[in-house]
Structure formats: C-alpha cells, structure tokens
Amino acid sequence: MKYMLLMNTAPADNAEEAMAQAVCNFEDWQEFDKQVQDAGIVVASHALADLTTATKVRVTSGGDRVITTDGPFAEAREVLGGYYVIDVPDLDAALDWAARCPGARDGSVVVRPVTDEY
Amino acid sequence: MTGPDARASVEAIFREERGRLLAALVRRFGDLDLAEDVAADAIEAALVHWPERGVPPSPGGWLMTTARRKAVDRLRRDRAQAARLALLHVEMERAAPVPAPDPDGGLPDERLLLFFTCAHPALAAEDRTALTLRCLAGLTTPEVARAFLVPAATMAKRIVRAKHRIREARIPFRVPDPGELPERLPGVLQVLYSIFTEGYAAARRDLADEAVRLARILRRLLPDEREVAGLLALMLLTHARFDARTAPDGGLLLLEEQDRARWDRAAIEEGRGLAEEALTGGPPGPYGVQAAIAALHGEAADVASTDWPQIVALYDVLLALTPSPVVALNRAVAVAMRDGPEAGLALLDDLAAEPRLRGYHPYAAARADLLRRLGRPAESAAAYREAISLAATAPERALLRRMLAAVEPSGRA
C-alpha cells in the first residue's frame, strides 16, 4: 500500500532562518533519506523550494477566469516542505517511517494513504 | 431443549463466541465489514438450526465453518468483491501463521487482534470506544448509541467512518510485537477504562459490567502484563461499591455515608489480589497504583480508620507517573484526611490557577467540603453553588444540593 508522507515545517522567510530554527540538520535528513532508499520502499520523493517561490492558481466557479497569485498564502503555523511516497504493507509501517523522519521533530508529518480509486 | 429457553441459551453462547468468531474471521479475510456480515449470517443460521437440532459440541467451530461457507456464497454472488477478497484471502493466509487448535476444540482466541485494532491510535478516541463495544462486546449499533447517549444514526455514521478509516488507511489487524506493547497497550486500557467510567458515572451497571468482562478477557490474553491486572483490579474494587453508593431514593452517597456491609466483598478480595500482582515484579504503572489506593479504601472499616498516610504516599507515586491536576486534586483531599482540612485547603488553593480544574466540579466540591469542615459555612455554600453549576449529571447535582442544604441555615433562602 502506498502512503504519502507530507512533511510540514515552520515557515521561514529564508533558508538560513529555517536552518537556524530547525532541530535536525542536513545530515539527519541525509541519513533518513539513505534509510528509506536502502529499505527499497520509496516510490517518489521531493523537497520543495521555499514557500516564497510558490504560485497559486485558481479557476472560478464560472470556469472562465483564471486567478494567479504569488501570495500571501494561508497563515498556517506549518507549511509543506517536501514529501515522500513510500510503499509499505500497512499504516503501522508507514507511521514508523514517519516517526523516524526528521520532519516529525522539526514540525509534523502527515501520513496519507494513496488511493487507487482514481 | 426448544422454544424460548433454547433461544436464551443460544444467545448466551453468542455473547461469548461472537467476538472470537469475529476476530478469527477478520484474521482470515482482513475485512471487518465482511467478517461482521458473515458472522451475523452464521449466528442467524444457528438461531434457526440449534433450537431444533441442539447446540453442536463445538459451537465456535460450527459458527466458523458456517461463516466461511457464507463468505464463499457472498463471494460468488458479488464478482467485483470476489476479486478483491480472493486477493486478500491469499495474502492473509500466507502472512498469518496457522493458529494452534484450542484445547477445548473451540475457536482459538484471536480477540487480542481486535482489541488493538479497535484501539488503534490512528482512530479518534470516541471511535475507539464505539468500535470496541461493537466488535468485542458485541453490542448492536443502537446499543452502543444508548451507551453514549447519542442518536442511533449518529453512532451508525461514526462506526461507518471508523471502519472506512481502517479499510482505506489499511490499519493492520495484528497484535503489536512485545517491543511495541508499551506504546500501544495504554491505548487499549484507556478504551476499557472509559467504558467503565462512563458506566459508573451514569450508574449504568450493564456498561460497567461489560467493561469488567472485557478486562477479564484481555487479562486472559495478556496474563503477564501487570497493568492489565492493575486495570481489572481498579475496576473490581470500584465496582464493589456500586450498590452502596446509591441511597434507597436513588440519590448518590458519599464514601463516608456508604454502608460498607453492602460492598461486594468477593470483588474486593479479587481486586486486592490482582492489585498486589500489578505492583509486584517491577516499577508500578498508573492503573496498579490506583488499584492499590482503591484496595486501601476497600479494606478499611470506615473513613476514620482508613490508612490515609499510605494513600497519600501512593498519590505521590501516581503524581510522578502521571502528573495531572486531577491527580493533584485527589492527593490534596487525601492530605486533608491525613493532616486536617487546613493542609488540604492550602494545596487546593495552590491548584486554583490550573485551567483543567476551572470547570471541573469535583474541585469546587472538594473546596466546599474542606471549608465546611473548617467552620466557614458561607464560603462553603458559595463553593457548593459553583460545583452545582458545573456538575454534568442530575444525580451529581442532587448530591451537591444536599450538601449545600447542610451548610446553609435551614428555613432561609
């Protein structure tokens, strides 16, 4: 079963500030990445660039107008910083990996099953 | 045996066998809905056949065989489901070790798996309790709804939601490894204790009984886990006072007002033995310590001769294990019994800023009681009035009004 681990961290205005706030360092993330890769469970994974580089697109209910904005984005305490899609037998296994992820210490990790209905 | 008698005896068998059957089917099919459906089919078939032909020598085995046959029927009827089920079936058979046959010739007891799945931390706390009552206690959805005082439709939705989550997120049907137990077992115990306290607070003996029954099953399945013994002990020792805490007019009685001759001695003895077991052989857990406190109340002839110093010492241990304002409140009450109301009141006043105690009527009630004993009736009455405004149930409010009347000069407003 495939699960997506969504890694949420505190928003920071720049990468330096983000690193300064973090509990986990670059080596921790490297080590975690090596572990999941070695376990052979990674389907896909990416770290996302800083939130300030994001652009939002929305189509109105009429369907004929496209709104594009570069923010401001929702003032959430945490923002999506990256994701893994892993293939493991069940939720317990996915939760184990999520708990080992440095993102669980620097913020939180949301675990969501990937549906095969669509 | 035929007619209503047969039906009653058959239903008594189901009470015990239903959870075991369900667990075995869940293990086999990995699908809670299908397991519930075919378990119901099998029980329905038994209700037709057993009163006529007699209860078979191995009721559990008969039900299991019948349920599996019903599952095959359903599989044949519904081809779409069949493909999915066949897959699951093969997977499950391969992954699950073949269970050892039960010495009684019945079903092997795989209910532990249901205990842990129903109490999985990925489920909402209210859903865990509901599922446990549904799957392990064998209550119908309307019965579970009544236990929580919610409409049946609401409860049905909640149970459907929880099952959907188990299926779609693939919450596993498995017993955690011994290494995972310290993390997972407290969740299971919490569910059982919630059922018990719900029954106790609402004076619902059936619900409290059911919690005790489930704790006994869990104890059989995990005989070496001392906190399971501790929880069962705590339930038994509390349950022993169930009858004595209600006055003939239905009102609640305080501990010091209870006729201790009405306490259930057998339950107290059993609880004491289990509490001892829970405290032996390693550091104690919170349920074991609470059971030990309940045991000290249980063996005392009256409030005055209760071993209050020992109870305070146990609350110190409990506070270290589970630092919570509610435990601190109970400790303060015990200190008042040991050292006098002045000492207890000082501790309660230290807790006044705790947000969790602000809306908690036992806090106001404890203050009211100590103020009364210190001869400060006006302040005591004010605290009782506050407690009355915070109390959630009618019997609790009635008790507090009675206490209020005792501190207010009679005949005046």
Side-chain angles (χ1 to χ4, degrees):
Chain A
M1 175 113 178
K2 294 189 184 70
Y3 294 88
M4 191 168 203
L5 311 188
L6 296 157
M7 290 161 298
N8 298 296
T9 49
D13 285 339
N14 58 61
E16 259 172 54
E17 197 187 322
M19 284 305 279
Q21 285 171 3
V23 179
C24 299
N25 58 29
F26 182 69
E27 283 71 33
D28 294 327
W29 282 98
Q30 236 176 355
E31 173 59 26
F32 176 74
D33 192 67
K34 186 176 174 337
Q35 283 177 16
V36 278
Q37 301 291 348
D38 288 353
I41 56 170
V42 178
V43 178
S45 81
H46 282 103
L48 303 183
D50 195 84
L51 180 69
T52 53
T53 62
T55 310
K56 185 156 74 183
V57 175
R58 178 181 280 158
V59 177
T60 61
S61 55
D64 52 358
R65 284 188 64 188
V66 179
I67 299 160
T68 309
T69 166
D70 64 350
F73 293 100
E75 285 168 37
R77 278 193 301 111
E78 294 183 333
V79 299
L80 183 62
Y83 72 90
Y84 278 92
V85 176
I86 59 172
D87 195 348
V88 291
D90 58 40
L91 183 65
D92 278 357
L95 295 178
D96 276 347
W97 281 109
R100 288 156 72 174
C101 174
R105 273 167 281 153
D106 274 344
S108 64
V109 177
V110 174
V111 178
R112 294 193 54 182
V114 176
T115 179
D116 49 18
E117 280 173 27
Y118 305 108
Chain B
M1 191 166 52
T2 53
D5 276 358
R7 199 180 162 96
S9 97
V10 163
E11 273 165 6
I13 292 170
F14 293 154
R15 197 159 181 72
E16 188 52 31
E17 293 291 342
R18 192 185 174 280
R20 292 172 68 142
L21 176 68
L22 192 63
L25 290 166
V26 164
R27 161 89 81 189
R28 182 161 290 269
F29 297 125
D31 186 318
L32 189 51
D33 273 326
L34 179 82
E36 277 206 306
D37 286 348
V38 296
D41 288 351
I43 286 172
E44 204 177 297
L47 279 171
V48 173
H49 291 289
W50 293 2
E52 284 172 18
R53 300 178 207 167
V55 175
S58 165
W62 190 97
L63 286 168
M64 185 66 190
T65 308
T66 309
R68 288 175 61 187
R69 211 171 283 144
K70 298 280 182 189
V72 172
D73 289 349
R74 275 173 189 261
L75 227 122
R76 285 192 183 128
R77 267 203 310 259
D78 185 346
R79 278 166 176 265
Q81 204 187 20
R84 182 165 149 249
L85 273 179
L87 190 73
L88 279 170
H89 185 80
V90 171
E91 261 180 43
M92 293 309 288
E93 293 289 87
R94 203 176 44 201
V98 179
D102 194 80
D104 314 329
L107 282 178
D109 199 334
E110 298 182 281
R111 281 176 287 186
L112 204 49
L113 160 163
L114 281 184
F115 273 110
F116 280 97
T117 303
C118 292
H120 197 281
L123 296 169
E126 59 193 26
D127 294 359
R128 293 179 214 165
T129 322
L131 270 184
T132 301
L133 283 174
R134 177 94 179 84
C135 296
L136 281 152
L139 267 57
T140 63
T141 300
E143 283 169 342
V144 178
R146 271 201 295 283
F148 291 98
L149 306 172
V150 299
T154 308
M155 185 51 75
K157 257 188 231 157
R158 195 186 284 178
I159 288 176
V160 166
R161 181 183 68 190
K163 283 189 192 163
H164 177 82
R165 194 169 166 84
I166 290 175
R167 190 171 53 244
E168 296 305 318
R170 201 176 291 179
I171 290 177
F173 296 107
R174 68 182 187 100
V175 176
D177 303 331
E180 296 171 282
L181 273 184
E183 189 193 332
R184 296 285 307 278
L185 186 57
V188 175
L189 300 178
Q190 175 62 49
V191 164
L192 298 189
Y193 195 47
S194 313
I195 295 172
F196 180 79
T197 49
E198 184 73 31
Y200 199 75
R204 290 274 312 271
R205 181 180 262 284
D206 55 340
L207 212 51
D209 281 344
E210 197 52 52
V212 172
R213 194 178 76 88
L214 291 176
R216 283 191 193 282
I217 294 170
L218 191 63
R219 161 120 181 106
R220 275 206 301 280
L221 296 169
L222 289 172
D224 298 330
E225 291 297 326
R226 291 181 301 129
E227 273 291 85
V228 179
L231 175 64
L232 179 55
L234 176 59
M235 286 185 185
L236 287 168
L237 288 159
T238 312
H239 208 28
R241 307 203 288 257
F242 198 95
D243 289 335
R245 75 189 187 117
T246 312
D249 67 358
L252 289 176
L253 293 172
L254 294 173
L255 188 61
E256 65 227 47
E257 298 170 326
Q258 293 176 13
D259 174 5
R260 294 182 182 223
R262 292 182 68 201
W263 287 2
D264 179 346
R265 284 290 137 199
I268 290 174
E269 277 317 302
E270 191 188 355
R272 276 176 61 179
L274 284 162
E276 221 163 274
E277 213 174 300
L279 296 182
T280 314
Y287 289 113
V289 176
Q290 290 176 81
I293 293 169
L296 286 173
H297 286 299
E299 66 198 29
D302 50 46
V303 169
S305 62
T306 303
D307 189 349
W308 293 108
Q310 184 65 24
I311 288 180
V312 172
L314 285 167
Y315 272 121
D316 288 338
V317 176
L318 187 60
L319 203 54
L321 286 172
T322 53
S324 99
V326 172
V327 175
L329 162 63
N330 290 327
R331 182 182 175 276
V333 171
V335 169
M337 296 307 293
R338 184 189 65 179
D339 302 337
E342 194 99 43
L345 191 62
L347 289 174
L348 285 186
D349 287 341
D350 289 345
L351 293 170
E354 283 290 346
R356 270 189 66 195
L357 295 182
R358 209 158 284 163
Y360 188 64
H361 85 264
Y363 177 74
R367 278 197 78 235
D369 181 52
L370 296 184
L371 288 163
R372 174 184 64 82
R373 280 153 58 188
L374 286 166
R376 290 153 67 176
E379 290 162 90
S380 173
Y384 274 126
R385 279 191 209 99
E386 189 192 341
I388 291 165
S389 73
L390 294 171
T393 73
E396 283 165 347
R397 282 192 294 272
L399 169 66
L400 291 165
R401 280 201 200 94
R402 184 159 66 77
M403 305 308 296
L404 173 63
V407 291
E408 278 183 325
S410 59
R412 280 183 240 162

